[in-house]
Amino acid sequence: MIGAIMLKRAANDGFAEVNRHDLEALLERYHEDAVFEYPGATVLSGRHVGIDAIRGFYELWLELMPKVRFSVEHTAVEDIFALTGTNSGYVEWEVDTFDREGKEYHATGVTRFRVEGGKIRHAKDYIFDQDVVAAAFPPEGADMAESSARTAQ
């Protein structure tokens, strides 16, 4: 029960930090050598290893989607009695994002977390709306400097 309460609070707080673009607080939740995996074939997709790579992921994501509204729908943990800050859990979420032109994208998904010592060791997103991801973000290998310059015009 304690493990479930801890995860629910951490999930709500973490997604609220994303909504506020509070990257420093969000990144404090990760181990220095954490891994974050994002699905698809976009500039954001892939395995992001280490806090610098994870920071780069979030910075680019928030640059492309300056307005974000996550809501946590459900949480589940592997060990409901965990007291040590080591556990695995799942968070089902919905998100509304808005790109720099104000176009809205709605997606749903699940993030799986492995937490050790109270910090995220590994996180992996499973997004159910891959067509939305493909429409919202440039494809893998896109020149982001060119994309940013085009958007600024």
Side-chain angles (χ1 to χ4, degrees):
M1 182 79 142
I2 297 298
I5 292 168
M6 289 169 59
L7 174 69
K8 186 172 183 119
R9 186 165 78 199
N12 282 317
D13 291 350
F15 284 109
E17 289 160 0
V18 174
N19 290 346
R20 292 191 312 269
H21 293 220
D22 188 351
L23 288 186
E24 295 311 313
L26 178 67
L27 293 171
E28 280 294 314
R29 297 179 178 282
Y30 286 86
H31 281 277
E32 285 292 318
D33 60 348
V35 175
F36 177 71
E37 295 181 68
Y38 190 81
T42 74
V43 295
L44 295 172
S45 301
R47 187 174 166 89
H48 307 279
V49 180
I51 200 72
D52 291 336
I54 294 168
R55 175 187 300 280
F57 166 86
Y58 281 111
E59 286 174 347
L60 178 56
W61 186 57
L62 292 172
E63 176 187 331
L64 295 170
M65 295 293 161
K67 186 174 180 186
V68 177
R69 286 193 314 244
F70 267 104
S71 63
V72 173
E73 301 301 316
H74 302 284
T75 59
V77 293
E78 185 176 298
D79 181 357
I80 63 171
F81 299 109
L83 297 173
T84 63
T86 298
N87 210 340
S88 290
Y90 300 85
V91 177
E92 180 184 350
W93 46 260
E94 291 194 27
V95 64
D96 292 301
T97 58
F98 299 82
D99 66 17
R100 292 176 283 198
E101 286 80 39
K103 184 173 181 184
E104 180 177 6
Y105 300 91
H106 178 82
T108 59
V110 171
T111 302
R112 181 203 175 274
F113 295 97
R114 175 69 187 153
V115 177
E116 294 177 2
K119 290 194 171 207
I120 298 168
R121 174 70 64 196
H122 185 257
K124 184 173 185 175
D125 276 352
Y126 298 87
I127 301 174
F128 304 123
D129 310 288
Q130 281 300 304
D131 55 329
V132 172
V133 172
F137 300 113
E140 230 169 352
D143 181 352
M144 290 311 300
E146 184 179 307
S147 176
S148 292
R150 250 194 322 262
T151 303
Q153 294 176 357

